[in-house]
Amino acid sequence: MEKLIDGKLISKALIEEISRETKEFVAKGGKKPHLAAILVGNDGASETYVNSKIKMCLEVGFDSSVIRCTSTITEEQLLKKIEKLNTNPDIDGFIVQLPLPRHVSELKVIEAINPQKDVDGFHPANIGRMALNLPSYLPATPFGIYQMLEKSGIETEGKNCVVIGRSHIVGSPISILLARNSNPGNCTVTLCHSKTQNLKEICSRADILIAALGKPEFITKEYIKKGAIVIDVGIHRVQDSSSPKGYLIKGDVKFDEVEPLVSKISPVPGGVGPMTIVALLKNTLLAAQKKVYAY
Ligand code: GUN
């Protein structure tokens, strides 16, 4: 059995699936999905993320728009732009790229988004629906991990799953998803965080370990149960003068040391990362098909 969980390969197959489904939906008279992104300021990383999201929209046959605002935009002006997208019938889903300038409340912005168009799955209504096992837009990274487990044929029922990190966009939602009565799901989940005691001991009992703590190569062999499945959500640039770019991309897991012990592991890069964009595309297609809020 293949040990490496190849996120690149799985995401490629899913992108083709979304492409095909979009074509069929449009051929039957359905609306061509349209994703909009609000980009505030000129943060380099945010520009890159939004550009790649838009590029992928084109690739699967969606329409896309970017609404650019200067970093001096007021909260009120930004909320008005959100309201415009909320009421524009041509826009099926939209995202507000984070982070936002300090003078703008992230919570106010997220709460202003119509949950039916919240393809990032950040609105409290979508998080609540997720917790209740109702149809919802799942946030990108947890959705990506979920699909990775599913497509790799990993049995999760009854397994001990340990999640490290309780962020609102990764640790907390993936712990909810995997504890739900669903497949993947039905795990016994332990959510660990910065105040957890005996982290090593807890992790070394995990059948499935999800590392989303944000510390480069923190998870070493002492944290691993033999035969465990390890999902690495970290992504870090680690200085390395011998590599061409002067840095290497590393995850939260010390891959070379951990890999010999596990039954499956997702690498960094090429693991969870490529899966996240698929989630956004899938959510946008679901929005156009009106499949999530189907009432
Ligand atoms: N910033 C970093 N990740 C994300 C994401 O998934 N969505 C949005 N809107 N902003 C982000």
Side-chain angles (χ1 to χ4, degrees):
M1 193 165 56
E2 182 57 57
K3 200 181 252 199
L4 213 61
I5 305 176
D6 188 339
K8 248 185 175 165
L9 202 71
I10 300 171
S11 65
K12 201 163 164 263
L14 287 169
I15 286 165
E16 278 163 19
E17 201 176 293
I18 293 169
S19 228
R20 199 169 49 242
E21 205 182 320
T22 303
K23 223 182 249 164
E24 285 168 13
F25 180 65
V26 173
K28 283 185 192 150
K31 184 189 169 301
K32 191 175 180 180
H34 188 164
L35 174 75
I38 298 183
L39 179 58
V40 182
N42 31 32
D43 174 74
S46 291
E47 290 255 5
T48 308
Y49 288 140
V50 168
N51 286 342
S52 58
K53 287 169 185 176
I54 297 302
K55 183 174 152 263
M56 290 309 299
C57 280
L58 271 177
E59 207 169 309
V60 295
F62 294 177
D63 284 330
S64 61
S65 313
V66 183
I67 294 106
R68 289 172 187 277
C69 319
T70 65
S71 58
T72 54
I73 190 169
T74 66
E75 191 174 271
E76 199 187 340
Q77 287 167 331
L78 184 56
L79 293 176
K80 272 198 187 131
K81 289 196 186 286
I82 291 170
E83 194 45 35
K84 258 190 158 166
L85 295 176
N86 279 343
T87 52
N88 180 346
D90 189 44
I91 303 292
D92 301 293
F94 66 96
I95 63 163
V96 180
Q97 187 66 29
L98 305 176
L100 293 169
R102 287 231 308 268
H103 65 275
V104 178
S105 156
E106 206 171 280
L107 180 62
K108 263 195 197 167
V109 163
I110 290 170
E111 284 200 301
I113 299 171
N114 176 352
Q116 303 194 21
K117 294 191 177 188
D118 169 40
V119 285
D120 253 337
F122 289 170
H123 193 287
N126 280 314
I127 297 172
R129 289 173 69 100
M130 172 185 69
L132 295 171
N133 213 351
L134 295 171
S136 71
Y137 299 113
L138 299 178
T141 306
F143 195 7
I145 297 168
Y146 202 71
Q147 298 212 85
M148 251 182 158
L149 295 171
E150 188 178 23
K151 299 291 171 188
S152 308
I154 291 168
E155 236 343 294
T156 58
E157 188 170 293
K159 298 284 167 66
N160 275 329
C161 174
V162 173
V163 178
I164 319 172
R166 59 177 156 188
S167 72
H168 290 170
I169 59 172
V170 186
S172 173
I174 194 65
S175 68
I176 293 169
L177 276 177
L178 291 178
R180 296 195 313 191
N181 184 0
S182 60
N183 184 24
N186 278 322
C187 291
T188 304
V189 177
T190 307
L191 179 56
C192 301
H193 46 76
S194 54
K195 300 289 187 282
T196 296
Q197 293 179 3
N198 308 322
L199 182 65
K200 236 178 235 178
E201 188 206 320
I202 295 167
C203 290
S204 62
R205 280 187 263 124
D207 302 311
I208 301 171
L209 183 67
I210 300 184
L213 65 158
K215 290 188 182 168
E217 301 190 296
F218 182 90
I219 301 298
T220 53
K221 61 180 189 304
E222 294 80 17
Y223 288 78
I224 306 295
K225 173 176 165 178
K226 200 163 177 342
I229 290 156
V230 176
I231 306 290
D232 189 350
V233 188
I235 181 149
H236 313 277
R237 278 186 184 185
V238 175
Q239 283 202 350
D240 183 285
S241 52
S242 66
S243 69
K245 288 183 177 165
Y247 65 85
L248 290 171
I249 301 291
K250 298 282 185 186
D252 286 351
V253 177
K254 198 162 192 172
F255 185 89
D256 293 345
E257 188 178 304
V258 165
E259 190 264 350
L261 295 173
V262 303
S263 64
K264 278 189 179 288
I265 183 164
S266 73
V268 177
V272 174
M275 298 296 298
T276 59
I277 203 132
V278 173
L280 181 66
L281 297 172
K282 179 75 186 174
N283 282 342
T284 305
L285 177 57
L286 289 172
Q289 294 172 323
K290 308 233 176 292
K291 278 193 176 165
V292 172
Y293 287 82
Y295 48 77

